[in-house]
Amino acid sequence: MPDKTTQPSMDQFIETLAPLHIYPLWKQEGLLIRRPTTEAVPYLWPYGPVRERLMEAGRLISAEEAERRVLILKNPGLNGKPAATARLYAGLQLVLPHEIAPAHYHSASAIRFVVEGSGAFTAVDGERLIMQPGDLVLTPAWSVHDHGNETDTPMIWLDGLDLPLVNGLECSFFQPLDTKAQKLTRSDDESERQYAYGQLRPSWVNWTKNYSPLAKYPWNATERILLDALKDGVAGSPTDGILFEYSNPITGGSVLPTMACYAQLLPPKFHSDAHRHTTSAVYHVVRGSGTTIMDGQRIEWNERDTFALPGWAVHEHINNASEPAMLFSFTDDPALKALGFYQEQSENKQG
Ligand code: GTQ
């Protein structure tokens, strides 16, 4: 029988473990967590004041000097971390007339959603994509990309990247190209002409990459799809209204392996059901105004505002206006689904 009086107390026992860098699981906190928790909070960045600061940045630094002239949308709950949600980065980028943002590549994947300006380009893997408001442009992991504005008006877009995820996984590489602009090997918008309508697949292309071969999803096609669905009286989803996912024309799946993009129409006088999912999202208001209630907090949004939905936050969307509202969003959905971490739950309405 061990003599109880000579047994060390638990505290004394634990002290003996420190030099060996070991610790009892039964004392460890914050490891086996009962449900998803995040420091990120529901938050909205109004376009007007952010745009004003972005234009001021345009007077202070060139795109070339900055490499990317971007104001990062930092979630106020995340302690200064450059992230809009725990796993998604968002920023607003300005390219002034006759500027170039030099070519580079990295292991993070990116999307761009054009907010204002018309005719500037992003060049991706040898193809220039000419950008109009509402266009979605992909710059997948490792693709060489630079931006240029040969027009006379400023160009602003929303950047979405999986950087917090890539950095959290400690898998980030980043490399400038040795020339300012990459060599162009394809016609402007060539992938759009090959794939945008999604009905015909070029038989000579053996596409095996894990992202969409369509580099630009033009807004005019997206808007037509949304408005036709409204005209057809499509009910859509009770939690999201008329929600379309931008899809990879080869697989029908998400446009990128780590991020999914959506275009959404909330019909007039629409109040969605509430739900929550492990996925986090960044929304951008393309048209109209409305309210999204997230964890009991009402976020009122207007055209060109951007807002963050933290993972597992209960949320519902409301459009009280007599006009439809349109939202663009990107999420970390494919990353979570690939790992088996996607969970969804319906909830009671909050408003
Ligand atoms: O345009 O390549 O907002 O590499 C952050 C990182 C934009 C870009 C960002 C980037 C870019």
Side-chain angles (χ1 to χ4, degrees):
M1 282 286 284
D3 177 357
K4 281 223 158 121
T5 56
T6 62
Q7 246 186 17
S9 74
M10 185 61 76
D11 288 350
Q12 281 167 336
F13 166 70
I14 290 170
E15 274 169 33
T16 67
L17 305 181
L20 296 168
H21 300 282
I22 52 180
Y23 196 77
L25 173 61
W26 67 90
K27 287 284 184 187
Q28 183 62 52
E29 287 171 15
L31 183 63
L32 288 153
I33 301 163
R34 281 182 179 273
R35 60 191 63 82
T37 53
T38 180
E39 300 287 311
V41 295
Y43 194 73
L44 176 135
W45 293 267
Y47 188 60
V50 177
R51 180 193 193 278
E52 193 272 328
R53 291 290 82 198
L54 192 54
M55 297 310 287
E56 178 66 11
R59 288 182 278 274
L60 290 171
I61 192 165
S62 71
E64 194 167 337
E65 210 183 332
E67 188 156 340
R68 296 294 184 264
R69 190 199 289 109
V70 177
L71 292 180
I72 303 168
L73 307 185
K74 287 194 171 188
N75 189 295
L78 290 176
N79 265 314
K81 199 177 156 195
T85 75
R87 292 176 298 262
L88 296 172
Y89 161 104
L92 283 164
Q93 176 159 181
L94 168 67
V95 184
L96 287 169
H98 314 296
E99 281 192 323
I100 185 161
H104 69 200
Y105 55 102
H106 38 69
S107 42
S109 298
I111 62 103
R112 334 267 161 201
F113 188 81
V114 181
V115 183
E116 58 172 285
S118 170
F121 67 84
T122 289
V124 183
D125 279 346
E127 178 186 358
R128 275 187 178 184
L129 311 155
I130 313 300
M131 300 159 93
Q132 306 295 336
D135 288 357
L136 168 67
V137 168
L138 308 180
T139 55
W142 302 111
S143 64
V144 175
H145 53 283
D146 50 85
H147 312 290
N149 185 353
E150 293 166 356
T151 78
D152 293 323
T153 49
M155 195 83 189
I156 297 176
W157 60 77
L158 176 70
D159 284 322
L161 285 91
D162 55 9
L163 274 168
L165 178 69
V166 175
N167 289 343
L169 295 173
E170 300 181 338
C171 294
S172 177
F173 294 87
F174 171 88
Q175 188 76 42
L177 198 70
D178 41 21
T179 53
K180 253 186 238 170
Q182 63 183 295
K183 216 168 131 248
L184 299 175
T185 56
R186 309 183 77 192
S187 310
D188 290 356
D189 293 321
E190 190 174 318
S191 70
E192 182 188 348
R193 286 186 296 282
Q194 281 189 344
Y195 291 103
Y197 303 108
Q199 301 174 33
L200 301 176
R201 181 181 59 80
S203 66
W204 63 93
V205 181
N206 181 25
W207 187 264
T208 54
K209 294 177 175 162
N210 67 353
Y211 55 83
S212 173
L214 175 58
K216 183 178 87 179
Y217 292 72
W219 176 249
N220 56 8
T222 305
E223 184 183 41
R224 189 166 352 110
I225 289 166
L226 291 174
L227 290 174
D228 283 350
L230 180 69
K231 214 188 296 168
D232 288 340
V234 166
S237 137
T239 50
D240 291 291
I242 299 172
L243 177 76
F244 284 91
E245 181 178 358
Y246 291 85
S247 67
N248 174 334
I250 303 295
T251 64
S254 60
V255 292
L256 295 168
T258 51
M259 292 189 291
C261 295
Y262 301 87
Q264 180 170 9
L265 183 148
L266 306 177
K269 309 289 174 204
F270 176 80
H271 189 147
S272 82
D273 287 351
H275 71 158
R276 63 165 102 194
H277 35 65
T278 45
T279 321
S280 68
V282 173
Y283 287 86
H284 180 78
V285 185
V286 185
R287 185 172 310 167
S289 58
T291 307
T292 296
I293 311 179
M294 296 183 264
D295 279 344
Q297 202 178 321
R298 295 180 74 88
I299 299 276
E300 312 282 345
W301 40 260
N302 290 293
E303 245 167 63
R304 296 178 169 180
D305 294 344
T306 304
F307 61 94
L309 170 71
W312 210 234
V314 180
H315 60 283
E316 68 206 64
H317 304 293
I318 304 162
N319 177 15
N320 277 328
S322 49
E323 293 297 314
M326 293 181 194
L327 300 170
F328 166 79
S329 59
F330 63 94
T331 78
D332 42 33
D333 189 274
L336 297 200
K337 282 186 176 157
L339 298 171
F341 295 153
Y342 183 78
Q343 294 287 334
E344 183 182 354
Q345 211 167 73
S346 22
E347 292 286 326
N348 293 326
K349 278 190 204 189
Q350 312 157 87

